[in-house]
Amino acid sequence: MTKPPGQVPDLRDDSGVVPTVNLAAEAGRSDFYARAAEHQLAPLWRVLHGLVTEKPVPRCVPAIWHYRDVRPFLMEACGQISTEEAERRVLVFENPGLPGQSRITQSLFGGFQIVLPGEIAPAHRHVASALRFIVEGRNAYTAVAGEKTMMEPGDFVITPSMAWHDHGNEGDGPMVWLDGLDMHIVNLLGASFREGYPGKVQPLDRPEGAAMAEAGTNMLPVDHDFGKTLTSPIFNYPYARTREALDRLARFREINAWHGHKMRYVNPVNGDWAMPTMATSMQLLPKGFATRPYRSTDSTVFTVVEGRGSTTVDGKTMEWEPHDVFIVPSWQQVTHTASEDAVLFTYSDRAVQEKLGLLREEQL
Ligand code: 1HN
């Protein structure tokens, strides 16, 4: 590449894209650029191809966090700060391509939260939606919009936008879960609000199991209005049921070459994803199974529920085992191989991309 002379800046944007303008002529335009900049005006032709790329240029990179490395830091965090002081004691997964931004992918947040026996994470609410995917521990609850649910490993739990939520550990061991949030999407749109509850916990005005009775049996009460929300009324999808569904599927159904046996979590009221912004799924990869190459525009967060195996993203291989968390960026070719029967939970921004007509995928 010919370097423009003097004070004219390098034309490559931070994705490495070079525009089509005649670099030799750029020097003669620098005075114009400088005067335009004083009026908050900038030439599109210097940035066009970096703004509108030929194909996705994800800022996030393939990455893996091994639970054996992360868990000691979670335990150490418990000695550093209480849940009360922290509000939420979470270690954030920072994608190495997006350091210092609390992003696990370009659009999503991911972190591991730890709650010790007797601790309460106080009630608050926010526009951002959250998912919890339980990693370790028992006898801890989350209360959401007046109803409590106990959480077990492998459960997928939803906190809808603006629902009051607090968590507590009534067991005798630490409770760890993966938090996934859409606040970067909310913030992009300038739509964030949050509030603390006036009190440590919210009042419980619905019995435990109410949501499951109303919406979790493939039937809905005829006299109930679920309102305008796009979030599933089921706020705990227990692992026992998910695992059984995958098992039953695997017994008779031909396996999908790109996904293994993969099921998505659905909102029983509208048939769409369980959450309006974050698509969530669980897949079973039988021992010895290797998927064919696949790519899609939704950068995806994976966590391993059971089993061992490896995932290759554009030629880079990551070996995984239970509770590891790894990332497959947008439009990068992925294959998975299971060395034991493996179960993987995923979340991504696919639910947003579908609603906006942006999602592309390719089965190779
Ligand atoms: C949050 O409210 C929770 O309620 C967890 O447990 C993680 C990360 C960022 C912002 C809010 C929770 C969060 C969070």
Short mmCIF file of all heavy atoms in Angstrom, two decimals, residues 143-167:
data_model
loop_
_atom_site.label_atom_id
_atom_site.label_comp_id
_atom_site.label_asym_id
_atom_site.label_seq_id
_atom_site.Cartn_x
_atom_site.Cartn_y
_atom_site.Cartn_z
N ALA A 143 -36.20 -14.50 42.45
CA ALA A 143 -37.59 -14.05 42.48
C ALA A 143 -37.74 -13.04 41.35
O ALA A 143 -36.93 -12.13 41.21
CB ALA A 143 -37.92 -13.41 43.82
N VAL A 144 -38.75 -13.25 40.52
CA VAL A 144 -38.97 -12.40 39.35
C VAL A 144 -40.44 -12.01 39.30
O VAL A 144 -41.32 -12.89 39.29
CB VAL A 144 -38.58 -13.15 38.04
CG1 VAL A 144 -38.87 -12.28 36.82
CG2 VAL A 144 -37.11 -13.55 38.05
N ALA A 145 -40.70 -10.71 39.31
CA ALA A 145 -42.08 -10.20 39.20
C ALA A 145 -43.02 -10.90 40.18
O ALA A 145 -44.09 -11.36 39.80
CB ALA A 145 -42.58 -10.34 37.76
N GLY A 146 -42.57 -11.01 41.44
CA GLY A 146 -43.45 -11.51 42.49
C GLY A 146 -43.51 -13.02 42.65
O GLY A 146 -44.27 -13.52 43.47
N GLU A 147 -42.71 -13.75 41.87
CA GLU A 147 -42.71 -15.22 41.99
C GLU A 147 -41.30 -15.75 42.13
O GLU A 147 -40.38 -15.32 41.44
CB GLU A 147 -43.39 -15.84 40.76
CG GLU A 147 -43.52 -17.36 40.86
CD GLU A 147 -44.23 -17.99 39.66
OE1 GLU A 147 -45.03 -17.30 38.99
OE2 GLU A 147 -43.96 -19.17 39.38
N LYS A 148 -41.16 -16.74 43.02
CA LYS A 148 -39.86 -17.33 43.30
C LYS A 148 -39.70 -18.63 42.51
O LYS A 148 -40.69 -19.34 42.30
CB LYS A 148 -39.86 -17.62 44.80
CG LYS A 148 -38.59 -18.11 45.42
CD LYS A 148 -38.80 -18.11 46.95
CE LYS A 148 -37.68 -18.86 47.65
NZ LYS A 148 -37.79 -18.79 49.11
N THR A 149 -38.48 -18.92 42.06
CA THR A 149 -38.21 -20.24 41.50
C THR A 149 -36.86 -20.73 42.01
O THR A 149 -35.91 -19.94 42.11
CB THR A 149 -38.25 -20.24 39.95
OG1 THR A 149 -38.10 -21.59 39.48
CG2 THR A 149 -37.15 -19.39 39.33
N MET A 150 -36.80 -22.01 42.38
CA MET A 150 -35.53 -22.60 42.80
C MET A 150 -34.75 -22.95 41.53
O MET A 150 -35.34 -23.34 40.53
CB MET A 150 -35.76 -23.86 43.65
CG MET A 150 -36.55 -23.62 44.92
SD MET A 150 -35.90 -22.30 46.00
CE MET A 150 -34.37 -23.05 46.57
N MET A 151 -33.43 -22.82 41.60
CA MET A 151 -32.61 -23.02 40.40
C MET A 151 -31.68 -24.23 40.58
O MET A 151 -31.09 -24.41 41.64
CB MET A 151 -31.80 -21.76 40.12
CG MET A 151 -32.68 -20.52 39.95
SD MET A 151 -31.79 -19.04 39.46
CE MET A 151 -30.94 -18.60 40.95
N GLU A 152 -31.56 -25.01 39.52
CA GLU A 152 -30.67 -26.18 39.53
C GLU A 152 -29.75 -26.13 38.32
O GLU A 152 -30.08 -25.50 37.32
CB GLU A 152 -31.51 -27.46 39.43
CG GLU A 152 -32.58 -27.56 40.46
CD GLU A 152 -32.69 -28.96 41.03
OE1 GLU A 152 -31.90 -29.84 40.65
OE2 GLU A 152 -33.59 -29.15 41.86
N PRO A 153 -28.62 -26.84 38.40
CA PRO A 153 -27.69 -26.84 37.26
C PRO A 153 -28.40 -27.21 35.95
O PRO A 153 -29.20 -28.14 35.92
CB PRO A 153 -26.65 -27.89 37.65
CG PRO A 153 -26.62 -27.81 39.15
CD PRO A 153 -28.06 -27.57 39.55
N GLY A 154 -28.13 -26.44 34.90
CA GLY A 154 -28.72 -26.69 33.59
C GLY A 154 -30.03 -25.97 33.35
O GLY A 154 -30.52 -25.94 32.22
N ASP A 155 -30.61 -25.37 34.41
CA ASP A 155 -31.85 -24.62 34.22
C ASP A 155 -31.56 -23.32 33.47
O ASP A 155 -30.51 -22.69 33.68
CB ASP A 155 -32.49 -24.24 35.56
CG ASP A 155 -33.03 -25.43 36.33
OD1 ASP A 155 -32.97 -26.56 35.82
OD2 ASP A 155 -33.52 -25.21 37.47
N PHE A 156 -32.51 -22.94 32.61
CA PHE A 156 -32.44 -21.67 31.89
C PHE A 156 -33.53 -20.77 32.47
O PHE A 156 -34.71 -21.10 32.42
CB PHE A 156 -32.64 -21.93 30.39
CG PHE A 156 -33.10 -20.74 29.60
CD1 PHE A 156 -32.40 -19.54 29.63
CD2 PHE A 156 -34.22 -20.83 28.79
CE1 PHE A 156 -32.83 -18.44 28.89
CE2 PHE A 156 -34.65 -19.74 28.03
CZ PHE A 156 -33.96 -18.54 28.09
N VAL A 157 -33.11 -19.66 33.06
CA VAL A 157 -34.02 -18.79 33.82
C VAL A 157 -34.02 -17.39 33.19
O VAL A 157 -32.96 -16.88 32.82
CB VAL A 157 -33.57 -18.72 35.31
CG1 VAL A 157 -34.45 -17.79 36.12
CG2 VAL A 157 -33.57 -20.12 35.93
N ILE A 158 -35.21 -16.80 33.09
CA ILE A 158 -35.35 -15.51 32.40
C ILE A 158 -35.73 -14.39 33.36
O ILE A 158 -36.60 -14.57 34.21
CB ILE A 158 -36.46 -15.60 31.33
CG1 ILE A 158 -36.12 -16.66 30.28
CG2 ILE A 158 -36.71 -14.24 30.68
CD1 ILE A 158 -37.24 -16.90 29.28
N THR A 159 -35.06 -13.24 33.22
CA THR A 159 -35.52 -12.00 33.87
C THR A 159 -35.95 -11.05 32.76
O THR A 159 -35.11 -10.49 32.06
CB THR A 159 -34.40 -11.33 34.69
OG1 THR A 159 -33.85 -12.30 35.59
CG2 THR A 159 -34.93 -10.16 35.48
N PRO A 160 -37.26 -10.86 32.57
CA PRO A 160 -37.72 -9.98 31.48
C PRO A 160 -37.37 -8.52 31.75
O PRO A 160 -37.11 -8.13 32.89
CB PRO A 160 -39.24 -10.16 31.48
CG PRO A 160 -39.53 -11.38 32.29
CD PRO A 160 -38.40 -11.47 33.29
N SER A 161 -37.42 -7.74 30.69
CA SER A 161 -37.20 -6.30 30.77
C SER A 161 -38.11 -5.69 31.84
O SER A 161 -39.31 -5.93 31.86
CB SER A 161 -37.52 -5.70 29.39
OG SER A 161 -37.34 -4.31 29.40
N MET A 162 -37.51 -4.89 32.73
CA MET A 162 -38.21 -4.12 33.78
C MET A 162 -38.93 -4.97 34.83
O MET A 162 -39.76 -4.44 35.59
CB MET A 162 -39.19 -3.11 33.16
CG MET A 162 -38.51 -1.84 32.65
SD MET A 162 -37.23 -1.17 33.74
CE MET A 162 -38.15 0.02 34.69
N ALA A 163 -38.61 -6.26 34.93
CA ALA A 163 -39.19 -7.09 36.00
C ALA A 163 -38.29 -6.96 37.24
O ALA A 163 -37.06 -7.07 37.13
CB ALA A 163 -39.29 -8.54 35.56
N TRP A 164 -38.90 -6.73 38.41
CA TRP A 164 -38.12 -6.73 39.65
C TRP A 164 -37.50 -8.11 39.84
O TRP A 164 -38.15 -9.12 39.57
CB TRP A 164 -39.02 -6.45 40.87
CG TRP A 164 -39.58 -5.07 40.91
CD1 TRP A 164 -40.89 -4.70 40.74
CD2 TRP A 164 -38.86 -3.85 41.14
NE1 TRP A 164 -41.04 -3.35 40.86
CE2 TRP A 164 -39.80 -2.79 41.11
CE3 TRP A 164 -37.52 -3.53 41.38
CZ2 TRP A 164 -39.46 -1.45 41.29
CZ3 TRP A 164 -37.17 -2.19 41.56
CH2 TRP A 164 -38.12 -1.18 41.52
N HIS A 165 -36.24 -8.15 40.28
CA HIS A 165 -35.62 -9.46 40.53
C HIS A 165 -34.59 -9.37 41.64
O HIS A 165 -33.84 -8.40 41.74
CB HIS A 165 -34.98 -10.03 39.26
CG HIS A 165 -34.01 -9.12 38.57
ND1 HIS A 165 -34.40 -8.01 37.83
CD2 HIS A 165 -32.65 -9.15 38.48
CE1 HIS A 165 -33.34 -7.40 37.34
NE2 HIS A 165 -32.26 -8.06 37.72
N ASP A 166 -34.62 -10.39 42.52
CA ASP A 166 -33.61 -10.55 43.55
C ASP A 166 -33.28 -12.04 43.62
O ASP A 166 -34.05 -12.88 43.17
CB ASP A 166 -34.09 -10.01 44.90
CG ASP A 166 -35.48 -10.50 45.30
OD1 ASP A 166 -35.57 -11.58 45.91
OD2 ASP A 166 -36.48 -9.80 44.98
N HIS A 167 -32.07 -12.34 44.12
CA HIS A 167 -31.64 -13.73 44.21
C HIS A 167 -31.19 -14.02 45.64
O HIS A 167 -30.69 -13.13 46.32
CB HIS A 167 -30.43 -14.02 43.30
CG HIS A 167 -30.42 -13.31 41.99
ND1 HIS A 167 -31.37 -13.51 41.02
CD2 HIS A 167 -29.53 -12.41 41.45
CE1 HIS A 167 -31.09 -12.77 39.96
NE2 HIS A 167 -29.98 -12.09 40.20
#
